[in-house]
């Protein structure tokens, strides 16, 4: 496990050496969303009983940040190491494929949670959403970060250049996060789009996370937990299979 | 005694390219071994297969008796590789880079050895410098240090002195020779044949993925026994000596003779024909001659 610890530590040190902007920049962008959307839509009716739009928006934005940061951390770190060639140092070492996976995913989760916490603390200035069930909040934050960290590992293995990596983010991750109900309740959508939203695993992450704050959600948190856990297991299994085979890494 | 490196019936293809084509190679412990060949001969692929950086199509590879696939944890701990490409992680300084590399190999308290390696490679002054700020030569030194950080008994250096100044080359070779004297097995690929000739006890020459020659450096040099005489003449070379011409440019001739004893008849022939010698130089066979003959040979 020492090899795993070293790779995990390297990922954390990389973030730390990146400086405060590694946390502040995404916090600032999220606050801009909050500023604009809350200003435009605060006068709307309550989304849930007793929940104004700004308070409703905060958990969605926090989780959206966790997901995007977790994805970008593992995908960028892995693909940059692969493309610039310095991944060779880890590949030469006696690191098992599952240790490799765990190190990248855990680092992605840690960074996602740190930035997500920063966004939450800054957002408290706009509104103070309650925390009905903190365990659900933590559980969905961990699972969501791990799911997107795993997706980032797959993208990092797959991408052969930074354009491809950007393509995965632009055409897969961003649409799925924006269409996940981060900014709205799916009950406000037409029936067809409600059904489409239910095909998006990111919707379950955000809905379950939001349940932890308000105690109400669009669907049962248990269903969300099952979908998110199942998605994580499948994606982690796929990423582990790629790493074990050495696909695009050990040529 | 277990061989340091054992390769059996190794094959690796990339599409239609047979990069490694049935290589069998055994390198004994403590050897300073040279792996030579032109670009694309398969040297780096062979090293990558040994290091687990590439997956073989078939064949067996072991380091000190440990299979590089089935026992990859042990075999990788026994092997240190200096990659050919000048790669580095721009997020870290030299000391961080070496600490992390130690950690990858499961070593936690390795500071004394890291300091020693940096000292031997003249890196101590740069320990806290970010990798981005180092010159190419300094980055190359760090690559060597990274390969040595876990004290591997088998060290593979894939063109470690490419693009490196003379001072660094000498520093590096002194350290590597010391490691070899201490019992480490060294496997070297280089384009500087004089380096291989000076350092390696045995040499394998590869071409198109196959070993074309494998012998002690002495025997390889001996296989081209003979003397080469470079002459600048005031007239034409006598007809009797024409079969011995290896090269000719105007009045400059390079003659290949089977031995030093053949030199006297050549001089006598020139004297008899009244051809004045303006300049004369004897050339020894070197590894480059052997290399050119071996890699130039049809497969």
């Amino acid at each position: 496990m020492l090899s795993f610890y070293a790779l995990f530590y390297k990922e954390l040190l990389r973030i730390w050496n990146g400086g405060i902007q590694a946390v502040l920049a995404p916090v600032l962008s999220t606050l801009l969303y909050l500023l604009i959307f809350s200003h435009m839509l605060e006068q709307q009716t309550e989304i849930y009983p007793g929940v104004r739009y700004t308070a409703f928006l905060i958990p969605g934005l926090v989780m959206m940040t966790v997901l995007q940061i977790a994805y970008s951390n593992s995908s960028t770190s892995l693909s940059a190491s692969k493309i610039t060639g310095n991944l060779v140092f880890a590949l030469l070492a006696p690191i098992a494929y599952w240790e490799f996976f765990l190190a990248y995913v855990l680092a992605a989760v840690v960074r996602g949670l740190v930035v997500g916490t920063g966004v939450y603390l800054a957002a408290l200035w706009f509104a103070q959403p309650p925390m009905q069930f903190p365990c659900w909040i933590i559980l969905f934050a961990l699972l969501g970060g791990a799911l997107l960290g795993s997706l980032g590992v797959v993208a990092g293995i797959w991408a052969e250049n930074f354009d491809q990596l950007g393509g995965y983010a632009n055409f897969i991750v961003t649409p799925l996060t924006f269409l996940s109900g981060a900014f709205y309740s799916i009950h406000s959508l037409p029936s067809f789009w409600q059904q489409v939203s239910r095909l998006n695993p990111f919707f379950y992450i955000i809905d379950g996370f939001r349940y932890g704050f308000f105690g109400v959600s669009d669907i049962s948190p248990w269903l969300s937990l099952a979908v998110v856990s199942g998605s994580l297991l499948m994606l982690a299994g796929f990423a582990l299979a790629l790493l074990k085979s050495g696909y695009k890494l050990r040529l | 005694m277990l061989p340091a490196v054992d390769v059996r019936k190794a094959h690796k293809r990339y599409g239609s390219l047979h990069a490694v084509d049935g290589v069998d190679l055994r390198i004994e412990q403590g050897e300073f071994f040279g792996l030579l060949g032109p670009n694309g001969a398969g040297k780096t692929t062979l090293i990558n297969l040994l290091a687990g950086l590439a997956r073989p199509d078939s064949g067996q590879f072991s380091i000190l008796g440990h299979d590089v696939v089935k026992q990859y944890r042990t075999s990788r701990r026994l092997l240190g590789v200096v990659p050919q490409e000048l790669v580095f992680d721009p997020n870290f300084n030299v000391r961080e880079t070496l600490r992390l590399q130690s950690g990858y190999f499961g070593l936690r308290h390795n500071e004394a050895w890291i300091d020693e390696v940096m000292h031997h490679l003249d890196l101590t002054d740069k320990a806290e410098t970010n990798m981005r700020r180092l010159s190419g030569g300094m980055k190359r030194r760090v690559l060597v240090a990274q390969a040595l950080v876990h004290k591997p008994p088998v060290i593979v250096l894939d063109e470690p002195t490419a693009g490196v100044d003379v001072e660094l080359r000498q520093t590096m070779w002194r350290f590597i020779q010391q490691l070899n004297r201490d019992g480490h097995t060294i496997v070297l690929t280089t384009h500087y044949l004089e380096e291989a000739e000076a350092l390696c006890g045995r040499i394998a020459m590869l071409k198109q993925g196959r070993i074309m020659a494998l012998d002690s450096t002495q025997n390889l040099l001996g296989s081209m026994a003979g003397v080469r005489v470079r002459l600048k003449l005031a007239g034409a070379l006598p007809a009797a000596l024409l079969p011995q011409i290896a090269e000719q440019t105007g009045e400059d001739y390079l003659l290949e003779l089977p031995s030093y004893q053949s030199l006297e008849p050549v001089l006598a022939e020139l004297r008899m024909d009244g051809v004045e010698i303006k300049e004369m130089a004897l050339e020894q066979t070197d590894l480059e001659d052997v290399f050119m003959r071996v890699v130039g040979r049809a497969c």
Side-chain angles (χ1 to χ4, degrees), chain A residues 3 17 93-94 245 250-251, chain B residues 14 52 55 73 76 91 104 108:
Chain A
S3 303
N17 285 354
S245 72
R250 298 184 190 274
L251 302 173
Chain B
Y14 292 107
R55 299 278 162 89
R73 282 197 195 259
R76 286 184 202 168
N91 295 298
Y104 292 168
R108 194 172 269 177

Side-chain angles (χ1 to χ4, degrees), chain A residues 2-3 6-7 9-10 13-14 17 84-86 88-89 91-96 98-99 244-246 250-251, chain B residues 12 14 51-55 72-73 76-77 87-89 91-92 96 100-101 103-106 108 143 146:
Chain A
L2 274 176
S3 303
L7 192 55
Y9 174 71
K10 172 235 163 192
L13 187 62
R14 185 183 67 80
N17 285 354
T84 59
N86 66 55
V88 71
F89 303 123
L91 295 176
L92 284 169
I95 302 174
W98 56 269
E99 290 177 307
K244 188 177 182 185
S245 72
R250 298 184 190 274
L251 302 173
Chain B
K12 177 68 181 175
Y14 292 107
L53 294 175
R55 299 278 162 89
Y72 72 93
R73 282 197 195 259
R76 286 184 202 168
R77 282 196 182 95
V87 289
F88 62 96
D89 194 326
N91 295 298
F92 307 114
E96 285 170 341
L100 287 169
Q101 196 68 21
Y104 292 168
F105 283 87
R108 194 172 269 177
L143 278 182
Q146 282 180 271

Side-chain angles (χ1 to χ4, degrees), chain A residues 1-15 73 77-78 81 86-108 153 243 250, chain B residues 89 92 99-106:
Chain A
M1 286 301 280
L2 274 176
S3 303
F4 152 76
Y5 175 77
L7 192 55
F8 175 58
Y9 174 71
K10 172 235 163 192
E11 281 298 296
L12 296 185
L13 187 62
R14 185 183 67 80
I15 298 163
N73 193 77
S77 176
L78 184 52
S81 288
N86 66 55
L87 190 66
V88 71
F89 303 123
L91 295 176
L92 284 169
I95 302 174
Y97 67 93
W98 56 269
E99 290 177 307
F100 197 92
F101 171 79
L102 273 184
Y104 274 93
V105 171
L106 280 184
V153 169
L243 287 169
R250 298 184 190 274
Chain B
D89 194 326
F92 307 114
R99 277 184 186 153
L100 287 169
Q101 196 68 21
S102 296
Y104 292 168
F105 283 87

Side-chain angles (χ1 to χ4, degrees), chain B residues 63-83:
Chain B
I63 307 293
L64 289 164
H66 296 276
D67 188 282
V68 303
V69 178
K70 292 174 192 156
Q71 298 165 290
Y72 72 93
R73 282 197 195 259
T74 313
S75 70
R76 286 184 202 168
R77 282 196 182 95
L78 297 170
L79 184 68
V81 177
V82 180

